[in-house]
Amino acid sequence: MTELAIPALSLVALVGISGSGKSTFARKNFAATQVLSSDAFRAMVADDENDQSASTAAFESLHFVAGKRLAAGRLTVVDATNVQEHARAGLVAVARAHDVLPTAIVLDVPEEECWARTQARPDRHFDRRVLTRQSRDLRRTIKSLAREGFRKVHVLRGVDEIESATIAYERLFNDRTELTGPFDIIGDVHGCRSELETLLTALGWEISRDEAGRACSARHAGGRVALFVGDLVDRGPDSPGVIRLVKGMVEAGTALCVSGNHEAKLLRALTGRKVTVSHGLAESLAQFGAEDESFVAEAKSFMDGLISHYVLDGGRLVVAHAGLKEVYHGRASARVRDFCLYGETTGETDEYGLPVRYPWAEDYRGRATVVYGHTPVPKPVWINNTICLDTACVFGGELTALRYPERELVAVPAEREHYAPVKPLAPAGGGRPSDVLDIGDVINIADPAGRRHLDTGYGRIAVDGRQAAAALEVMGRFAIDPGLLLWLPPTMAPASTSQVEGYLEHPTAAFADYRKVGVDTVVCEEKHMGSRAVVLVCRDQAAAEKRFGGGATGAVHTRTGRPFFSDAAVTEALLDRVRAGVTAAGLFDELGTDWLLLDAELLPWSAKAGPLIRDQYASVGTAARNALPHAIDVLDQVARRGIDVTALRGRLAGRAENAQRFTDAYRAYVRPTDGLAGITLAPFVILASEGANHAGRDHGWHLALADRLVDAASGLFTRTRRLVVALDDEQAVAGAVDWWVELTGSGGEGMVVKPLAGLVRTPKRDLVQPGLKCRGREYLRIIYGPDYTDADQLHRLRDRSLGRKRGLALREYALGLAALDRVAANEPPWRVHELVFAILASESEPVDPRL
Ligand code: CTP
Ligand code: MG
């Protein structure tokens, strides 16, 4: 039995003349979906697998599909003759483009045998000369495969060998996903052996020494594993000493080490290759010159064996010297190794003559944590789930370790400046700060419609490119600091249109809607007629700075992410009062948080909507109240002359009454305010706090906390009146209807009916509407016009269609829930923002604005 070793992720080219048994071999040894056969692709593009004129199109498609598979990390086998070099070159190129290892399996079967088989096949009609030509090509092929770039070449000679061969998958060297730590990841040491010993000791490692007293290994009683990010050598006082210790740890299985660019160059220098002796290499060469030969030989083979990156902890952790972008994780190619060792450079040089490094971490959007070194920074800073641990020990800075999974940093100071830096240290990241967003996070440039799909954990949601562009415009011009924009309120659908005489919306419809999806208890909350305000309040400036960056102590923003007040000082003044209330209510301590995100209504409506009320509503009311009495007067004069205008007069009198009702409706929401004087907040949901999305809590919890805010600061906070209703309790239901009639009869906007439990799903796991609004009869006059209650108008309005609005409400709800989950998990700003942005983008969907 012959075992053919194949890298677990690889592009496998089968090579053999027609009839050599490639398809048979592929069928036996690989899954059907792994095999891309040129015959199948010819059939796909030309309806005939023997149509040689379709070969170009067939191979183009085959390469395309192979590329997609490799990009997704799937083993791919190409079943084609592959006896000509140009055919194989195409495959090597596809493998390289995706940084996977190309492998060749040659089936070398005597031409006679293949000819015999061919003649027996009904699907092959070529003459013998074709086989002869293929055989001649194959002979040349076998010798040149390795040179062409195939990293593994297996040649199976004869029918028996092919028959008995089996495939054995080999893990890539960088695949250490089975190691789960805990790890102590250590930054660039650069010959600072003494500081390394101090750091290891501080981390709880026990160092062992050789006869000469030199540190030669270490172990941790807690079973921790050390990971070195490379650049153990050069510049510092004892590079051989560092190699001795780390090599000992790696051999003892207590450490892994990736190669840094300095190991690569030192190795070349020690093996006698011509290199420029600079950047502290001279020091290392002198130090190694004083070591005995056998140690130097061991050090060389140690450095030679260093892998350029590791994927650890089930793929959640990646360690590479200069960091690694996501498409390269777990891949193997010269290009990947170069990135790991040197990073990507922009091709420019800075004023110190050093290459400008491309700030890959700013663009990193991967799920794995990437830990690296290479670029000295004053302090390690998390950038998009990546962190650089090179804190310039050799330049007099610190030697830093990251405890993983704890994510704690431990550092020891350099004993002195061992080497003078060429240039001052740049802060981590350097270029674009990581809260500056990438257009690729919100618009899919690869899609013709710019459509992006977001996996929310509550369903996959598509965002249209044009809507995203509109949102981008709004965000870019008007929105608050994206670091503080954690959530936007989803739109809310009304309850199904009511059939109750004279009503478009009525609580009975909301109750019926919830009963239908299995909700048994709801809470009816008074719908405050103000403006939606989302309030992020931090304990103090320092807490805000640490958690969200920026200069504010929180934010008060509208449902489209704009600052509620144009004057930042007003916002801060309001935040001060909110903070005092939250502190007095003890909520920061109770929830173990330095910040709270509240969903609230800011009252009165006129505080924000003054101009809208004046221009849109008051003008209509005033015009009607001025014009209609005159018209009625005129009709009265006409009537006195004996002409019958009773019907017309009746209609006008009705309209005058409606106009008065319309005016009364909006006037109820107008109250004088002056700056913050007269403004109150009605909080109704505690959205999130450190480490927690509270969407899963029931509304009893939310409202109890809101009540405590009201008790703590009644001048600022307004209570939300509510009624809990068991939907199978007829009396309770009737009571709720009465309550609504009373509420809306005395100028209230209406109520929102929510499942008491908060986040609820249907038996099919779909999200249930988080709330349904049920607006009052008089309030709806503002929306649908003064005369909407007239029988003919009401009849037409009953046809309004709610489907789009409902779908939109659910999508926005899902996006908002996911955003809060990501906030709770302390994910990087862009991860939160892409969802918040998607909510805003959805808002430009064409939906009846009156709903
Ligand atoms: N066959 C056989 N004994 C084997 C292998 C193959 O008799 N050990 C037969 C198959 O049943 C088939 C023919 O030989 O009828 C050719 O085998 P196939 O696997 O189709 O060969 P390929 O190399 O795929 O030929 P082509 O390049 O023409 O697709
Ligand atoms: Mg075949």
Side-chain angles (χ1 to χ4, degrees), residues 14-27 37-39 42 49-50 79-82 107 109 113-114 116-118 120-124 126 131 134 159-160 162-163:
L14 300 182
V15 180
I17 65 174
S18 189
S20 60
K22 299 181 296 296
S23 301
T24 308
F25 180 85
R27 262 196 302 279
S37 110
S38 54
D39 286 343
R42 262 188 221 96
E49 62 173 50
N50 287 307
D79 172 13
T81 55
N82 291 323
L107 308 192
V109 177
E113 170 79 33
C114 296
R117 290 176 183 174
T118 301
R121 287 169 77 180
D123 57 331
R124 290 288 185 268
F126 48 78
L131 271 193
Q134 290 180 354
V159 176
D160 294 342
I162 295 169
E163 187 58 38

